[in-house]
Amino acid sequence: MSADPSTAEEIMAGVHHALREYGYADLTMQDIADACSKSKSLLHYHYDTKEDLLVAFLDHLITTFERCVEAGRDRPATERLVEFIAWFGFDPDETDREHFHIALLELRSQGPFNDRIRSRLQRSDRVFRDTVAEIIEQGIEEGVFEPVDVTETAALLVATLDGARTRQITLGELDVDGDTYTRTVARTLIDRVVDPILVDGVELPDVSSVEVLLPRDEPVAVPAVDDSPSTGDDR
Amino acid sequence: MSADPSTAEEIMAGVHHALREYGYADLTMQDIADACSKSKSLLHYHYDTKEDLLVAFLDHLITTFERCVEAGRDRPATERLVEFIAWFGFDPDETDREHFHIALLELRSQGPFNDRIRSRLQRSDRVFRDTVAEIIEQGIEEGVFEPVDVTETAALLVATLDGARTRQITLGELDVDGDTYTRTVARTLIDRVVDPILVDGVELPDVSSVEVLLPRDEPVAVPAVDDSPSTGDDR
Amino acid sequence: MSADPSTAEEIMAGVHHALREYGYADLTMQDIADACSKSKSLLHYHYDTKEDLLVAFLDHLITTFERCVEAGRDRPATERLVEFIAWFGFDPDETDREHFHIALLELRSQGPFNDRIRSRLQRSDRVFRDTVAEIIEQGIEEGVFEPVDVTETAALLVATLDGARTRQITLGELDVDGDTYTRTVARTLIDRVVDPILVDGVELPDVSSVEVLLPRDEPVAVPAVDDSPSTGDDR
Amino acid sequence: MSADPSTAEEIMAGVHHALREYGYADLTMQDIADACSKSKSLLHYHYDTKEDLLVAFLDHLITTFERCVEAGRDRPATERLVEFIAWFGFDPDETDREHFHIALLELRSQGPFNDRIRSRLQRSDRVFRDTVAEIIEQGIEEGVFEPVDVTETAALLVATLDGARTRQITLGELDVDGDTYTRTVARTLIDRVVDPILVDGVELPDVSSVEVLLPRDEPVAVPAVDDSPSTGDDR
DNA sequence: TATGAATGAGCATTCATTCAT
DNA sequence: TATGAATGAATGCTCATTCAT
């Protein structure tokens, strides 16, 4: 890896920033270089190809997410579930986050064409569904959720939230019943899917009272991720 | 419109074919020209810019969908709903359809950057949700569905099915519990969301018994769509 | 020639109009077609190539000029000379004329590359210099001009006026001593070159009192010029 | 500016060479690239657009001229004036120079359409007329020229020489009285305009005895012109 | 005569990548 | 490590010209 660990971080932050600004389709190496005040050549010194760089960025992203999930593991299941659901939506003023997810959607749409990207998406999907499954499992053990099929339930929740976010992003600030697409769907999802599996008497905490530990996608300096550049080995 | 209506159709079919083959990001005017055995110049003769052409294609797509929805309006609500849900999924062998939806996802991911594309996506979203809402409304009137909030329900169903398809597409033929992502989610969606709103005693028809009228995305010759070339006016 | 004589005239007027609007370098067959409300194909029916069309236009232009010169031949030499000098300049509000001469300059700059254009420019040069030479000759015979070398004098006058106009056109409405480039030069030309060859006691008439018969380059309907299209013979 | 000063010079020389060979209207970036044995991409690396490159070339040209004028300032006015007049003409064998001025005329004809080109033409006009004005002023001070209006005289001389050259170029090697157009006009110009303002007893030196310091338009390596690539600032 | 449809050749520009330092 | 210089491949678009009717 880079002798200077901060260089790798600066580059990752640069990718993040450039993705937010230009989107994936319009993203050039020059954009990234500008965003981290480095030269194109240096990016190629650390990552042989543009693809290598983006794959490293995806790894970085997933790792960050995993770390955050880990950090919240000691909280009650209901709280964690609400956090997860809430995490998917944006407030209309979080344009940075929205721009980033737009870029991410573009990147995801390249999955079918790119094995390496796809493998990261799969890992990310695994992490997402496992996280939700684990939360539900935990809830069942805690006696707050009915004993449902956790795998199916996790798949449903993730698909729904993802679909809502995708639609909200691609359609713009479209209102559905006077609220955001994602929020409308999230609310309905809770009413129709989550509430029915709550054990009688159990209530979900209010969204506003739940601390969100999952990454808000800020270009925070991350504690040093080892993604050795240009080693070339890939799955 | 073109004097020869078949030219416009040939071009639309060419776009369809080329999107399936190359995806949206890699799609060139040459690809489209090749796909319909015409010259690049001719494409530019009919559609000033590449964007114009793709926007026209989206219009064509939505119009086709609307026509098919119209055609199935006389069937029972349960049947129509099952058809709609089934329509979202692919069999593993329908690679053509899958490839097309991959391209569509890429195109959708450009919505945030392109007003004209976005306006088509919004129209399409409207059509989708209105269709489902109308089906549920019809079901309530027929006495087969409980009187639920149709707008919310429609939003939930569409988001979930879209999310499942998006994930299935981007992640590849990933199995969830031994089935397709979309099918697993569709099944769970029916169990957890649709079944609970069925009036007691009513049962959904089996998927395999429902005739699917919605467009299978084949480049079928469509009965004449008016997309006057190069008029340039937009919204 | 065209069965309908007005068609040829409409096309010539179209070229004129289009040249004024787009200049020569940016002139497309479509521009000309639009300017005369005809189709590109029709232009090609009458004139095989774009070059043919422009060459015909130059012929048309020169012929018109000759006709106007002819019409003024019965006036006194001093009057004719002042008219000629005045004819070269524009008022700042004659933007149409200026735009046309801009296009003409562009066209002239193609002379070195195009034999057929060059031959028309040469003919036009001949007509110009001969006209001035004839005026001076006439003046000598009338006893108003000293017996100077008419060829040299004509060459000097034409070069100077042309140079002034070229500079005025290319440099924009640049002021020289509070007046137009062309007018400043024309005045100095009269002071330094014309006045000295006037016989003692003779005075030039005032510019404003001289009727300008030379063509103001308006797209006037011309009495029918025979420029048989597409005959292919040249020079 | 380029780290290697020779690169900028090579490109300028390439533009010069390509202009001479293809003219302005037919000039492509590929032509220029070929002419300096570089890649099109490199041209775009140094100059964002074709226009940028040509504007830089015009700047380069004017700067070179100014430098040469500067270098000849210590000579007598009559000598400098004769040099200036002689400088405008070509010998029939100087086809390179002629070709270059043809291209220049094409470029000038774009002035009305292009602010940046026009501003360079204006600067060049200023330099030309100021140079002649300064020479005449100097001559008046030296007591060899009568005290005439220097501005008017300079405008007249420049317009006449420019007009003669333009006509010679556009009309081809057309003879006027057995001599070049420019030479005929230059001779007459001296007879009718310059001689009359000479103080009695003063004579102009013979053209052949005057050393011409003004640039012969050869692609001579110029002592380092600063045209920082792609800075984008203009005027 | 007159037109709409269709084509091929050409061109400026972009961008990931490489090279020399 | 880090950079500026340089390149090849690719792409959307323009336009004169031709063809079928």
Side-chain angles (χ1 to χ4, degrees):
Chain A
M1 104 142 104
S2 318
D4 185 357
S6 72
T7 297
E9 284 169 31
E10 280 170 30
I11 294 178
M12 288 300 110
V15 174
H16 197 117
H17 195 84
L19 275 174
R20 268 194 334 224
E21 186 154 4
Y22 302 101
Y24 169 76
D26 280 345
L27 186 71
T28 72
M29 289 297 271
Q30 188 64 60
D31 293 333
I32 300 174
D34 291 347
C36 59
S37 302
K38 305 247 176 292
S39 68
K40 271 190 303 179
S41 314
L42 186 66
L43 300 182
H44 278 288
Y45 174 78
H46 286 284
Y47 306 90
D48 280 346
T49 69
K50 187 184 180 183
E51 188 185 303
D52 283 348
L53 174 52
L54 290 168
V55 165
F57 178 73
L58 279 182
D59 282 334
H60 166 81
L61 220 55
I62 299 169
T63 304
T64 305
F65 181 85
E66 284 175 320
R67 222 171 263 149
C68 293
V69 168
E70 199 63 39
R73 240 178 198 137
D74 49 347
R75 295 183 296 165
T78 50
E79 196 170 309
R80 292 181 69 193
L81 188 58
V82 167
E83 180 205 15
F84 187 85
I85 293 174
W87 176 73
F88 260 85
F90 320 116
D91 282 328
D93 63 317
E94 291 184 86
T95 54
D96 269 0
R97 249 193 115 197
E98 183 169 4
H99 286 184
F100 180 62
H101 277 275
I102 289 167
L104 225 44
L105 180 61
E106 295 180 85
L107 227 168
R108 290 171 65 190
S109 76
Q110 293 310 302
F113 305 104
N114 187 313
D115 291 347
R116 300 169 67 201
I117 290 182
R118 191 169 60 253
S119 77
R120 269 68 185 184
L121 298 179
Q122 287 169 348
R123 182 179 148 217
S124 146
D125 176 61
R126 198 81 264 152
V127 171
F128 273 21
R129 287 195 285 126
D130 285 355
T131 298
V132 175
E134 184 206 294
I135 292 172
I136 297 174
E137 191 87 57
Q138 175 191 339
I140 295 173
E141 282 166 17
E142 289 174 358
V144 295
F145 292 152
E146 299 287 349
V148 293
D149 181 317
V150 293
T151 305
E152 277 182 8
T153 311
L156 178 65
L157 292 181
V158 169
T160 303
L161 291 169
D162 186 29
R165 181 166 66 187
T166 296
R167 296 189 84 76
Q168 170 168 324
I169 281 172
T170 55
L171 299 170
E173 280 303 335
L174 194 63
D175 277 352
V176 179
D177 273 1
D179 210 341
T180 300
Y181 210 124
T182 308
R183 268 204 292 256
T184 301
V185 170
R187 191 169 16 87
T188 313
L189 181 69
I190 289 177
D191 286 351
R192 307 283 179 87
V193 178
V194 180
D195 275 351
I197 69 170
L198 284 181
V199 167
D200 273 359
V202 174
E203 283 204 358
L204 288 180
D206 189 62
V207 180
S208 55
S209 71
V210 172
E211 188 191 4
V212 176
L213 297 179
L214 293 175
R216 277 295 171 196
D217 315 319
E218 306 89 28
V220 281
V222 180
V225 186
D226 184 354
D227 29 47
S228 315
S230 306
T231 52
D233 66 353
D234 205 66
R235 300 195 116 257
Chain B
M1 109 144 96
S2 317
D4 186 357
S6 74
T7 297
E9 285 170 29
E10 280 171 32
I11 293 178
M12 288 298 111
V15 174
H16 197 117
H17 194 84
L19 276 174
R20 270 193 333 226
E21 187 155 2
Y22 302 101
Y24 169 78
D26 280 345
L27 186 71
T28 73
M29 289 298 272
Q30 188 62 60
D31 293 333
I32 300 174
D34 291 347
C36 58
S37 300
K38 304 254 177 288
S39 65
K40 267 189 305 179
S41 319
L42 184 66
L43 301 182
H44 281 289
Y45 175 76
H46 286 284
Y47 306 90
D48 281 343
T49 68
K50 186 183 179 184
E51 187 185 304
D52 283 349
L53 174 53
L54 290 168
V55 165
F57 178 73
L58 279 182
D59 282 334
H60 167 82
L61 221 56
I62 298 169
T63 305
T64 305
F65 181 84
E66 285 175 320
R67 227 172 257 148
C68 293
V69 168
E70 200 63 39
R73 238 180 199 138
D74 50 347
R75 294 181 299 164
T78 50
E79 196 170 309
R80 292 181 70 193
L81 188 58
V82 166
E83 181 205 15
F84 187 88
I85 293 174
W87 176 74
F88 261 85
F90 321 117
D91 282 329
D93 62 316
E94 291 185 89
T95 55
D96 269 0
R97 249 194 113 198
E98 183 171 3
H99 285 183
F100 179 62
H101 276 276
I102 289 167
L104 225 44
L105 180 61
E106 294 180 85
L107 227 169
R108 290 171 65 191
S109 76
Q110 293 310 302
F113 306 103
N114 187 314
D115 290 348
R116 298 170 68 201
I117 291 183
R118 190 169 61 254
S119 79
R120 270 66 184 185
L121 297 180
Q122 288 170 346
R123 182 180 149 217
S124 146
D125 175 61
R126 199 76 272 147
V127 172
F128 273 23
R129 287 195 285 127
D130 285 354
T131 299
V132 175
E134 183 206 293
I135 292 172
I136 297 174
E137 190 87 56
Q138 174 190 340
I140 294 172
E141 283 166 17
E142 290 174 359
V144 294
F145 292 152
E146 299 288 349
V148 293
D149 182 316
V150 294
T151 305
E152 277 182 9
T153 311
L156 178 66
L157 292 181
V158 169
T160 303
L161 291 169
D162 185 31
R165 181 165 67 186
T166 296
R167 295 189 83 77
Q168 170 169 323
I169 282 171
T170 56
L171 299 170
E173 280 304 334
L174 192 65
D175 278 351
V176 179
D177 274 0
D179 210 340
T180 299
Y181 210 124
T182 308
R183 266 203 294 256
T184 301
V185 169
R187 188 166 21 84
T188 313
L189 182 68
I190 289 177
D191 287 352
R192 307 285 179 87
V193 178
V194 180
D195 274 351
I197 68 169
L198 283 181
V199 166
D200 273 359
V202 175
E203 282 204 359
L204 289 180
D206 190 61
V207 178
S208 55
S209 71
V210 172
E211 187 190 6
V212 176
L213 296 180
L214 293 175
R216 277 297 170 196
D217 317 317
E218 305 88 31
V220 280
V222 180
V225 185
D226 185 355
D227 29 48
S228 315
S230 302
T231 52
D233 66 294
D234 205 66
R235 305 189 105 256
Chain C
M1 114 139 98
S2 318
D4 185 357
S6 73
T7 297
E9 285 169 30
E10 280 171 29
I11 293 178
M12 288 299 112
V15 174
H16 197 116
H17 195 84
L19 276 174
R20 269 195 332 227
E21 186 153 3
Y22 303 101
Y24 169 77
D26 280 346
L27 186 71
T28 72
M29 289 297 272
Q30 188 63 61
D31 293 333
I32 300 174
D34 291 347
C36 58
S37 302
K38 306 248 176 292
S39 69
K40 272 189 301 179
S41 314
L42 187 65
L43 300 182
H44 278 286
Y45 176 79
H46 287 284
Y47 306 90
D48 279 346
T49 68
K50 186 183 181 184
E51 187 185 303
D52 284 347
L53 174 52
L54 291 168
V55 165
F57 178 73
L58 280 183
D59 283 334
H60 166 82
L61 219 56
I62 299 168
T63 304
T64 305
F65 181 84
E66 284 176 321
R67 221 171 264 150
C68 293
V69 168
E70 201 62 40
R73 240 179 198 139
D74 48 349
R75 294 182 298 165
T78 50
E79 196 171 309
R80 292 181 69 194
L81 188 58
V82 167
E83 181 205 15
F84 187 87
I85 292 173
W87 177 72
F88 260 84
F90 319 117
D91 282 328
D93 62 317
E94 291 185 86
T95 54
D96 269 0
R97 249 193 113 199
E98 183 169 4
H99 286 184
F100 181 61
H101 277 276
I102 289 167
L104 226 43
L105 179 61
E106 295 180 84
L107 226 168
R108 290 171 65 191
S109 76
Q110 293 311 301
F113 305 103
N114 187 313
D115 291 347
R116 300 169 67 201
I117 290 181
R118 191 169 60 252
S119 78
R120 268 67 185 184
L121 298 180
Q122 288 170 348
R123 183 178 148 217
S124 146
D125 177 60
R126 199 79 266 151
V127 172
F128 273 21
R129 286 195 284 127
D130 285 357
T131 298
V132 175
E134 185 205 292
I135 291 173
I136 297 173
E137 191 86 58
Q138 175 190 338
I140 295 173
E141 281 167 17
E142 289 174 359
V144 295
F145 292 154
E146 299 287 350
V148 292
D149 182 316
V150 295
T151 305
E152 277 183 8
T153 311
L156 179 65
L157 292 180
V158 169
T160 303
L161 291 169
D162 186 28
R165 182 166 64 187
T166 297
R167 295 189 84 75
Q168 171 170 324
I169 281 170
T170 55
L171 298 170
E173 281 302 335
L174 192 63
D175 278 352
V176 179
D177 273 0
D179 210 342
T180 300
Y181 211 125
T182 307
R183 267 203 294 256
T184 301
V185 169
R187 189 168 19 85
T188 313
L189 182 69
I190 288 178
D191 287 351
R192 308 284 178 88
V193 178
V194 179
D195 275 350
I197 69 169
L198 285 181
V199 166
D200 273 0
V202 174
E203 283 204 0
L204 289 179
D206 189 61
V207 179
S208 56
S209 71
V210 172
E211 188 191 5
V212 177
L213 297 179
L214 294 175
R216 279 293 170 197
D217 316 316
E218 306 87 29
V220 281
V222 180
V225 185
D226 184 354
D227 28 47
S228 315
S230 306
T231 52
D233 67 353
D234 207 65
R235 298 184 122 263
Chain D
M1 110 145 90
S2 318
D4 185 356
S6 73
T7 297
E9 285 170 29
E10 280 171 31
I11 293 178
M12 288 298 110
V15 174
H16 197 117
H17 194 84
L19 276 174
R20 270 193 334 226
E21 187 154 1
Y22 302 101
Y24 169 76
D26 280 345
L27 186 71
T28 72
M29 289 298 272
Q30 188 62 61
D31 292 334
I32 300 174
D34 291 347
C36 58
S37 299
K38 304 251 177 290
S39 66
K40 269 189 303 181
S41 319
L42 185 65
L43 301 182
H44 281 288
Y45 176 75
H46 286 283
Y47 306 90
D48 281 344
T49 69
K50 187 184 180 183
E51 187 185 303
D52 283 348
L53 174 52
L54 290 168
V55 165
F57 178 72
L58 280 182
D59 282 334
H60 167 81
L61 221 55
I62 298 169
T63 305
T64 306
F65 181 84
E66 285 175 319
R67 227 171 257 149
C68 294
V69 168
E70 201 63 38
R73 241 182 197 137
D74 49 348
R75 294 182 298 164
T78 50
E79 196 170 309
R80 293 180 70 191
L81 188 59
V82 167
E83 181 205 14
F84 187 87
I85 292 173
W87 177 72
F88 261 85
F90 320 117
D91 283 330
D93 62 318
E94 290 185 89
T95 54
D96 269 0
R97 248 194 114 198
E98 183 170 3
H99 285 184
F100 179 62
H101 277 275
I102 290 167
L104 226 42
L105 180 61
E106 294 180 86
L107 227 168
R108 290 172 64 190
S109 76
Q110 293 311 301
F113 305 103
N114 187 316
D115 291 347
R116 299 170 68 201
I117 291 183
R118 191 170 60 253
S119 78
R120 269 66 185 185
L121 297 180
Q122 288 170 347
R123 182 180 149 216
S124 146
D125 176 61
R126 213 44 300 137
V127 171
F128 273 23
R129 287 195 283 127
D130 285 354
T131 299
V132 175
E134 184 206 293
I135 291 174
I136 298 174
E137 191 87 57
Q138 174 191 339
I140 295 173
E141 282 167 18
E142 289 174 359
V144 295
F145 292 152
E146 298 288 350
V148 294
D149 182 317
V150 295
T151 305
E152 278 183 9
T153 311
L156 179 65
L157 292 181
V158 169
T160 303
L161 291 168
D162 185 30
R165 181 165 66 186
T166 296
R167 295 190 83 77
Q168 171 169 323
I169 281 171
T170 55
L171 299 170
E173 281 302 334
L174 191 63
D175 278 351
V176 179
D177 273 1
D179 209 342
T180 299
Y181 210 123
T182 307
R183 268 203 292 257
T184 301
V185 169
R187 188 167 19 84
T188 312
L189 181 68
I190 289 178
D191 287 352
R192 308 284 179 86
V193 178
V194 180
D195 274 350
I197 68 169
L198 283 182
V199 166
D200 273 0
V202 175
E203 283 204 358
L204 289 179
D206 189 61
V207 179
S208 56
S209 72
V210 172
E211 187 191 6
V212 177
L213 297 179
L214 295 174
R216 278 294 169 198
D217 317 318
E218 306 88 29
V220 281
V222 179
V225 185
D226 185 356
D227 28 47
S228 316
S230 302
T231 52
D233 67 302
D234 205 66
R235 302 181 119 262

